[in-house]
Amino acid sequence: MPTNFTVVPVEARADGAGEEAAERTEAPGPPEGPEPVGPSPAGDGSPRESIPCVNNVEVERESFLEGKNMALFEEEMDSNPMVSSLLNKLATYTNLSQGVVEHEQAEDSRRRAAQTPRMGTFIGVYLPCLQNILGVILFLRLTWIVGAAGILESFLIVAVCCSCTLLTAISMSAIATNGVVPAGGSYYMISRALGPEFGGAVGLCFYLGTTFAGAMYILGTIEIFLTYISPGAAIFQAEAAAGEAAAMLHNMRVYGTCTLALMAVVVFVGVKYVNKLALVFLACVVLSILAIYAGVIKTAFDPPDTPVCLLGNRTLARRGFDVCAKVRVDGNSTATTALWGLFCNGSQPSASCDAYFAQNNVTEMQAIPGVASGVFLENLWSAYADRGAYVEKQGVPAVPVPEESRDSRDSRLPYVLSDITTYLTLLVGIYFPSVTGIMAGSNRSGDLKDAQKSIPTGTILAIVTTSFIYLSCIVLFGACIEGVVLRDKFGEALQGNLVIGMLAWPSPWVIVIGSFFSTCGAGLQSLTGAPRLLQAIARDGIVPFLQVFGHGKANGEPTWALLLTALICETGVLIASLDSVAPILSMFFLMCYMFVNLACAVQTLLRTPNWRPRFKYYHWTLSFLGMSLCLALMFVCSWYYALFAMLIAGCIYKYIEYRGAEKEWGDGIRGLSLNAARYALLRVEHGPPHTKNWRPQVLVLLSLDAEQRVKQPRLLSFTSQLKAGKGLTIVGSVLEGTYLDKHAEAQRAEENIRSLMGVEKTKGFCQLVVSSNLRDGTSHLIQSAGLGAMKHNTVLMAWPESWKQEDNPFSWKNFVDTVRDTTAAQQALLVAKNVDLFPQNQERLGDGHVDVWWIVHDGGMLMLLPFLLRQHKVWRKCRMRIFTVAQVDDNSIQMKRDLQTFLYHLRISAEVEVVEMVENDISAFTYEKTLMMEQRSQMLKQMQLSKTEREREAQLIHDRNTASHTAAAARTQAPSTPDKVQMTWTREKLIAERHKNKDASVSGFKDLFSLKPEWGHLDQSNVRRMHTAVKLNEVVLNKSQDAQLVLLNMPGPPRNRQGDENYMEFLEVLTEGLNRVLLVRGSGREVITIYS
């Protein structure tokens, strides 16, 4: 919309400030301060996204600082240009590849230089589309399609195919006018609208379609040459009529290969010669069509003399005879004709003849009776035939004879026979390539003056024009030509002349020569366009094994891509049948058109802010209709070809998804995924899922070294083994410092984590937090990681191996606080001890056991984790064993029976063993371990802390005590629940049983105190805990020392924060001597159920 505006200069101030500013402008002084060496960053230090129109423009800093009006923004002007500069660059914009950094880097400097576009709508879009759409099928097969399908069904075929391409052109116009279309055409539009996976798959299908189109045009060229121009040039000659088809195929292969080699050489030498001949080829097409219309008009008042010979109602091929009669009269004598000799075993009137020949008369009729003849009604309906059937004229009387089998039929008889079985869907597949070529204009987008205006107008006008030509030709052919002549594919009844050529005026050679050169030119265009399409795909880098085809000659010509195109085209030439090659390329073009419609529909339905096409005459329903029509036509043409084409596209899609380069093109599929994710997140109810749907959604806490590399890569290996690509995985880490100072290191650390996730095949998200200290950062991750209902419910971390080192005195405090945070957040906790000994994804553990030590029941995590691990090939051969501990008063036999029943209902296969722990006296070893622990605790308490750390510790203790008192009060007020029958141990039952037989007497230990008097001053609570840890460790070592993995209930930290360092010692003693240990602390909620 034009906008009027006026530039109003700022008036000089009365105090003379304006004059001073002018003086400063005329004689600028040297800038104060040191001159920057390179471009300085923006104020916040973050890099800016480059604007394609401006990113190659260097603007001097002094020009920005000429006046003081913009001094407020002077720090931003190095990265953000002024609006005047931006508008200036947009005004002088030339049609380069904008917004595609990959393309700009791939192009050489000469091709990247601005070139003046010079082609408009008519020359740049309309005529190329016209030339590509009108071609070999129009001249060689359209009359045969009308004869076989009839006028009505032929009209339907053409109308459906043209509607398909028209709807596709509307969708393509919307995509092409949504921003600047760089050179690359249809592939660029599809890939940038649907993403690299779809773009690569459909781009390669479009490439294969264009390549096979070249093969079809070459076969059409050779068919015209050998059938209508120079039949005597055939290398292979058939000895009998039955071998003519096979000999023709061999000739097509030989001549087609030679023609392909010649065309490839022409394309290799220089495309400029092909482009110069394009107008000549187009003139041939236009003149041929004009000759057809002129011939139709001429038939209205002067039909051509083109006799066709019939025997009964069967059409005869004009080979071996000239006179359409059994006998001829020379004066007073009667002599048999050459036709008699073909059907009889001699030239005498008394010779024995073919039964059908003897009982039916020979008649002659005009092949082209003209528009006013009334033949239109006879050709209205279809006349499908099987292979080898006679081409018969309906309504002509004939005496039937006993039908011979087609194998025993005399091949010397000059009948016109059907060479293939005809039916509607076959004709659709053969005809559809004649409406392809609508992408010719968009492929030239880089050479157009105004691509956004020319592509929609030129393409749609070309489709409307060619649709009118095809539909009118169907009606005119049916109104002018006899049905038997229409069904005569190779013009055998017309002495081997082209049927459509006999209709044309002034001479049949106008059509023959015109169609020859037009098909030859179309083949050259295909061999020119297909390698460039493959080169564009290869240079995008989305298919790694195709990158070699992105290289070419020094001038950019795709040499290797041309070689591959010629080889693929040769496979189509070796098929040697135009009718067999046409359905193949129909599949690839239909798939390409289907995804163009899908791209437009997706973009329209998503309503992304960037979807603002200048072409307004589109709607998502039209795109959806076009997509459905393309899909239906694929299966109508050939269901097995359609499935094969889809299989190829699917394999390419999965290959690009698995091995291809990551590209972010702002495509519609990414937007669709975003909308689907948002919809799914809103649909998922906010709250814990049902037990049957529960799976560990893991937050993996990683530690980084000074160079931002991961310290424990095996933790990610274990994560991928546990998850196997299912559920949510968030890999988190914490950097100490402030975000403004550490954002570059944070990005580097995130890249390192992502690359390691790729190596370990861990599918998930990376979240890195910069915090003033590790403790707060870890707490923030546990609280805020995830989105909505997609939050983690399990935290996986490594055991702090260095917690005893004096240079790292607070690592144990961070660990214990993290345990408390997960408990407060009602999340499960997994702690991997000796994580460097855990297997990598490439390892395969042989026979061994995964041992579960089930001490307390905290939701069933211990049962579920081994089951999940054994789904991965690393742990698949390991067997599962479950150990539980029985006290003195427990019935171990009944416990084992109950546990086996429980596992049976859980559908988990495992060995069960109940271990009895006998109550015995506390050993001297336990006392010594406790003494060492308390001495270490005393030493840690005496360490000097800064004032801020002491205040922080006091505040944390106060907060924890307040929270524990509140929780205790809530438990006191809670109503008591009736006892339930438990199949296994629960936490409540364990506590009750533990306190049932508590012995308050400590007289048994007095003898031990005499050994070391200081033992008597030990905290008896710590002694009992150490005793449990030592005894349980002895039992576990006895049973599971050789196990591949030991899963063990992780006891909770003490409620009194004064004993945190003792808690670490208890866990160390509990797991001492074990190679791979996974400490498991459940969230308290059930995660496994026996119900379906």
Side-chain angles (χ1 to χ4, degrees):
M1 176 170 76
T3 305
N4 297 324
F5 62 91
T6 306
V7 179
V8 181
V10 180
E11 296 182 1
R13 288 171 50 184
D15 56 1
E19 296 177 1
E20 293 177 5
E23 291 175 1
R24 285 193 298 268
T25 304
E26 291 175 1
E32 297 180 22
E35 184 177 350
V37 178
S40 60
D44 56 356
S46 60
R48 297 285 188 236
E49 181 181 356
S50 60
I51 302 175
C53 302
V54 199
N55 59 0
N56 58 348
V57 182
E58 295 183 2
V59 187
E60 297 181 358
R61 184 179 179 87
E62 289 82 357
S63 63
F64 284 130
L65 304 179
E66 288 178 354
K68 294 295 182 68
N69 291 333
M70 293 296 168
L72 184 61
F73 302 97
E74 61 185 17
E75 291 185 357
E76 300 180 17
M77 288 180 181
D78 290 326
S79 57
N80 296 342
M82 292 177 62
V83 174
S84 59
S85 174
L86 176 65
L87 294 177
N88 181 45
K89 300 319 296 179
L90 287 173
T92 58
Y93 166 73
T94 54
N95 198 1
L96 296 173
S97 300
Q98 300 295 334
V100 192
V101 179
E102 302 88 12
H103 280 290
E104 292 182 349
Q105 292 174 348
E107 296 292 333
D108 54 41
S109 58
R110 189 175 61 82
R111 297 187 63 184
R112 198 163 37 195
Q115 297 177 357
T116 305
R118 57 187 177 277
M119 287 196 293
T121 303
F122 186 75
I123 298 294
V125 180
Y126 181 76
L127 291 182
C129 287
L130 210 65
Q131 180 187 1
N132 280 267
I133 295 174
L134 299 173
V136 61
I137 301 296
L138 171 64
F139 301 119
L140 296 184
R141 293 292 182 268
L142 191 59
T143 54
W144 173 70
I145 291 173
V146 175
I151 295 174
L152 291 180
E153 292 186 20
S154 300
F155 200 90
L156 176 65
I157 291 172
V158 174
V160 169
C161 292
C162 291
S163 300
C164 176
T165 54
L166 181 62
L167 292 172
T168 304
I170 292 173
S171 300
M172 184 187 70
S173 300
I175 298 173
T177 57
N178 186 52
V180 178
V181 180
S186 54
Y187 162 69
Y188 178 87
M189 290 189 295
I190 296 171
S191 61
R192 269 56 179 181
L194 289 179
E197 294 87 2
F198 277 110
V202 180
L204 285 176
C205 285
F206 189 52
Y207 163 74
L208 291 174
T210 307
T211 305
F212 276 101
M216 184 188 73
Y217 291 130
I218 291 173
L219 292 175
T221 303
I222 303 305
E223 182 177 316
I224 294 171
F225 177 74
L226 291 178
T227 308
Y228 306 115
I229 296 178
S230 180
I235 299 174
F236 299 92
Q237 300 289 342
E239 297 179 358
E244 288 182 357
M248 184 64 178
L249 292 180
H250 292 317
N251 287 316
M252 298 277 281
R253 293 185 180 103
V254 173
Y255 275 98
T257 302
C258 296
T259 306
L260 173 62
L262 181 62
M263 287 184 175
V265 170
V266 171
V267 173
F268 177 78
V269 169
V271 185
K272 58 182 180 180
Y273 302 110
V274 180
N275 293 333
K276 288 179 179 179
L277 293 173
L279 286 178
V280 177
F281 298 143
L282 178 61
C284 294
V285 175
V286 174
L287 289 176
S288 300
I289 293 172
L290 292 177
I292 293 171
Y293 283 114
V296 170
I297 295 172
K298 183 177 177 294
T299 61
F301 53 86
D302 185 17
D305 183 19
T306 51
V308 175
C309 192
L310 296 179
L311 175 61
N313 61 355
R314 298 177 183 177
T315 310
L316 297 180
R318 288 274 187 169
R319 61 171 185 266
F321 70 95
D322 296 326
V323 180
C324 183
K326 293 183 179 181
V327 295
R328 70 174 183 271
V329 178
D330 281 339
N332 295 328
S333 64
T334 303
T336 58
T337 62
L339 183 62
W340 181 282
L342 293 174
F343 282 91
C344 303
N345 59 3
S347 59
Q348 301 298 324
S350 59
S352 62
C353 299
D354 179 75
Y356 189 84
F357 179 79
Q359 298 185 28
N360 289 276
N361 295 325
V362 176
T363 58
E364 196 173 53
M365 66 176 186
Q366 290 298 321
I368 304 176
V371 176
S373 63
V375 75
F376 179 85
L377 296 177
E378 297 179 11
N379 294 329
L380 207 57
W381 309 106
S382 62
Y384 299 118
D386 295 332
R387 181 181 180 182
Y390 299 108
V391 176
E392 299 176 336
K393 179 172 174 57
Q394 303 297 327
V396 174
V399 179
V401 296
E403 185 69 27
E404 297 178 352
S405 66
R406 290 170 184 171
D407 295 333
S408 61
R409 186 184 297 163
D410 190 354
S411 61
R412 295 174 299 173
L413 300 181
Y415 288 122
V416 178
L417 305 175
S418 297
D419 63 330
I420 59 173
T421 302
T422 54
Y423 43 90
L424 178 66
T425 57
L426 172 75
L427 299 183
V428 173
I430 293 175
Y431 172 76
F432 188 81
S434 66
V435 296
T436 59
I438 62 173
M439 302 287 190
S442 63
N443 290 339
R444 295 167 176 251
S445 55
D447 301 322
L448 298 175
K449 188 180 298 182
D450 186 359
Q452 296 191 22
K453 177 183 177 182
S454 298
I455 290 177
T457 307
T459 305
I460 293 176
L461 279 179
I463 291 175
V464 171
T465 304
T466 53
S467 300
F468 172 77
I469 291 173
Y470 281 125
L471 292 172
S472 62
C473 283
I474 285 174
V475 175
L476 295 176
F477 291 164
C480 294
I481 307 174
E482 279 286 349
V484 290
V485 180
L486 290 173
R487 293 191 292 277
D488 184 6
K489 183 188 292 185
F490 301 108
E492 296 176 88
L494 300 176
Q495 297 180 343
N497 289 316
L498 186 61
V499 175
I500 196 172
M502 301 304 294
L503 176 65
W505 180 87
S507 170
W509 286 101
V510 176
I511 296 294
V512 173
I513 300 301
S515 60
F516 177 80
F517 281 111
S518 68
T519 51
C520 185
L524 280 172
Q525 294 284 353
S526 297
L527 286 179
T528 304
R532 279 157 179 74
L533 181 59
L534 180 62
Q535 188 182 42
I537 298 172
R539 286 184 172 180
D540 263 344
I542 57 175
V543 184
F545 70 85
L546 290 180
Q547 290 184 358
V548 65
F549 299 107
H551 307 293
K553 294 192 295 185
N555 59 354
E557 293 298 320
T559 308
W560 293 107
L562 175 62
L563 181 61
L564 179 65
T565 302
L567 291 176
I568 297 175
C569 192
E570 176 64 15
T571 61
V573 170
L574 293 178
I575 295 175
S577 172
L578 187 68
D579 302 325
S580 300
V581 173
I584 297 176
L585 64 102
S586 294
M587 292 302 113
F588 292 122
F589 277 119
L590 279 167
M591 182 168 293
C592 177
Y593 296 164
M594 179 178 70
F595 281 102
V596 170
N597 286 293
L598 174 64
C600 182
V602 166
Q603 296 279 23
T604 307
L605 290 174
L606 286 180
R607 297 178 182 177
T608 52
N610 193 51
W611 179 248
R612 304 184 300 273
R614 290 185 180 276
F615 182 78
K616 300 299 182 184
Y617 306 102
Y618 72 95
H619 195 267
W620 69 268
T621 53
L622 295 178
S623 301
F624 186 79
L625 179 62
M627 183 182 67
S628 305
L629 202 56
C630 290
L631 185 63
L633 283 175
M634 287 179 67
F635 283 93
V636 163
C637 293
S638 175
W639 63 269
Y640 46 89
Y641 277 162
L643 291 178
F644 183 68
M646 288 183 170
L647 178 64
I648 291 177
C651 292
I652 297 170
Y653 179 94
K654 296 305 291 183
Y655 177 81
I656 296 174
E657 186 181 49
Y658 179 67
R659 290 294 301 265
E662 289 291 333
K663 301 286 183 182
E664 179 51 59
W665 288 332
D667 50 87
I669 295 299
R670 299 295 194 275
L672 189 64
S673 302
L674 216 61
N675 271 17
R678 171 185 168 275
Y679 177 78
L681 281 173
L682 293 175
R683 290 276 296 175
V684 175
E685 52 191 54
H686 191 74
H690 192 273
T691 304
K692 290 186 287 186
N693 294 328
W694 195 94
R695 66 169 63 246
Q697 317 282 16
V698 182
L699 169 63
V700 186
L701 297 179
L702 296 179
S703 300
L704 303 175
D705 59 15
E707 297 181 357
Q708 285 77 49
R709 287 196 296 262
V710 178
K711 288 183 180 179
Q712 305 103 357
R714 296 290 180 95
L715 203 60
L716 284 180
S717 303
F718 183 73
T719 304
S720 60
Q721 296 160 21
L722 180 65
K723 300 291 292 179
K726 303 295 190 299
L728 175 71
T729 301
I730 303 174
V731 180
S733 187
V734 180
L735 276 182
E736 284 190 282
T738 60
Y739 183 71
L740 287 179
D741 297 333
K742 295 282 188 176
H743 72 279
E745 296 179 16
Q747 290 179 354
R748 186 164 62 251
E750 192 167 341
E751 290 174 2
N752 293 339
I753 294 174
R754 288 186 190 279
S755 63
L756 184 61
M757 290 173 66
V759 171
E760 300 294 344
K761 298 180 180 179
T762 304
K763 296 185 179 298
F765 308 97
C766 177
Q767 188 166 353
L768 194 135
V769 172
V770 180
S771 180
S772 57
N773 56 72
L774 290 176
R775 167 72 190 91
D776 291 342
T778 306
S779 179
H780 295 159
L781 272 178
I782 293 174
Q783 294 176 60
S784 60
L787 179 64
M790 286 296 289
K791 291 182 67 68
H792 61 278
N793 53 31
T794 305
V795 176
L796 172 63
M797 61 189 301
W799 173 262
E801 303 290 347
S802 60
W803 73 274
K804 288 185 178 181
Q805 296 178 6
E806 295 183 2
D807 58 346
N808 193 14
F810 300 111
S811 64
W812 57 270
K813 286 187 73 68
N814 293 334
F815 176 81
V816 178
D817 286 340
T818 302
V819 175
R820 287 195 173 99
D821 286 344
T822 57
T823 304
Q826 295 184 336
Q827 295 171 3
L829 177 64
L830 309 178
V831 179
K833 195 167 186 291
N834 302 325
V835 69
D836 292 333
L837 300 178
F838 276 56
Q840 292 181 325
N841 291 329
Q842 295 79 17
E843 297 181 35
R844 302 290 181 270
L845 298 179
D847 292 338
H849 295 93
V850 175
D851 287 354
V852 177
W853 285 85
W854 194 18
I855 311 300
V856 295
H857 179 68
D858 54 358
M861 276 282 287
L862 282 169
M863 306 293 178
L864 188 60
L865 291 176
F867 171 78
L868 295 176
L869 280 176
R870 292 181 67 239
Q871 307 303 309
H872 197 274
K873 48 194 172 186
V874 173
W875 304 90
R876 190 165 293 159
K877 294 183 179 180
C878 295
R879 296 185 299 276
M880 182 177 170
R881 295 189 302 190
I882 296 182
F883 298 90
T884 189
V885 177
Q887 302 296 327
V888 177
D889 297 334
D890 291 325
N891 185 344
S892 58
I893 298 176
Q894 185 63 35
M895 283 181 63
K896 182 175 182 178
R897 192 178 297 122
D898 290 344
L899 184 54
Q900 288 174 337
T901 305
F902 183 49
L903 292 176
Y904 174 78
H905 287 299
L906 288 178
R907 292 91 62 201
I908 292 178
S909 176
E911 301 176 19
V912 175
E913 187 171 344
V914 178
V915 179
E916 296 181 352
M917 288 186 64
V918 180
E919 289 285 348
N920 52 11
D921 295 339
I922 300 176
S923 64
F925 175 75
T926 301
Y927 275 101
E928 188 63 28
K929 294 284 288 186
T930 308
L931 177 63
M932 292 173 60
M933 178 186 71
E934 291 198 352
Q935 287 175 348
R936 173 179 172 79
S937 175
Q938 191 66 26
M939 179 188 69
L940 289 173
K941 288 178 182 177
Q942 291 174 356
M943 292 181 66
Q944 295 297 324
L945 300 177
S946 65
K947 179 181 178 182
T948 56
E949 288 175 337
R950 287 199 302 269
E951 291 174 353
R952 182 173 174 275
E953 287 293 318
Q955 184 62 38
L956 285 174
I957 293 172
H958 177 268
D959 294 341
R960 293 292 179 177
N961 290 339
T962 305
S964 62
H965 291 325
T966 306
R971 285 194 298 270
T972 305
Q973 296 173 2
S976 59
T977 56
D979 291 337
K980 297 180 181 179
V981 178
Q982 299 289 342
M983 187 175 296
T984 58
W985 286 98
T986 62
R987 185 178 297 171
E988 292 80 3
K989 183 176 179 182
L990 182 66
I991 293 172
E993 292 293 330
R994 181 182 295 167
H995 291 284
K996 184 184 295 182
N997 298 316
K998 181 184 291 185
D999 188 4
S1001 174
V1002 293
S1003 58
F1005 304 125
K1006 290 182 179 179
D1007 296 336
L1008 284 173
F1009 294 160
S1010 62
L1011 296 177
K1012 270 196 174 184
E1014 58 265 28
W1015 288 356
H1017 304 290
L1018 294 176
D1019 187 346
Q1020 293 303 309
S1021 173
N1022 289 337
V1023 173
R1024 289 195 303 272
R1025 288 188 174 90
M1026 184 62 75
H1027 175 67
T1028 303
V1030 170
K1031 293 298 294 181
L1032 194 55
N1033 177 257
E1034 291 176 359
V1035 174
V1036 173
L1037 276 178
N1038 183 37
K1039 297 289 185 180
S1040 302
Q1041 190 167 12
D1042 297 330
Q1044 299 286 8
L1045 179 65
V1046 176
L1047 286 86
L1048 190 64
N1049 276 120
M1050 180 179 179
R1055 293 183 180 178
N1056 183 7
R1057 295 176 62 88
Q1058 299 298 324
D1060 286 356
E1061 63 278 3
N1062 300 337
Y1063 172 68
M1064 297 294 292
E1065 195 71 47
F1066 295 145
L1067 294 181
E1068 192 74 63
V1069 172
L1070 180 63
T1071 58
E1072 192 173 5
L1074 298 173
N1075 291 330
R1076 302 188 188 108
V1077 183
L1078 188 66
L1079 295 172
V1080 181
R1081 180 165 174 79
S1083 61
R1085 69 180 303 272
E1086 293 292 334
V1087 301
I1088 196 167
T1089 179
I1090 63 174
Y1091 299 105
S1092 61

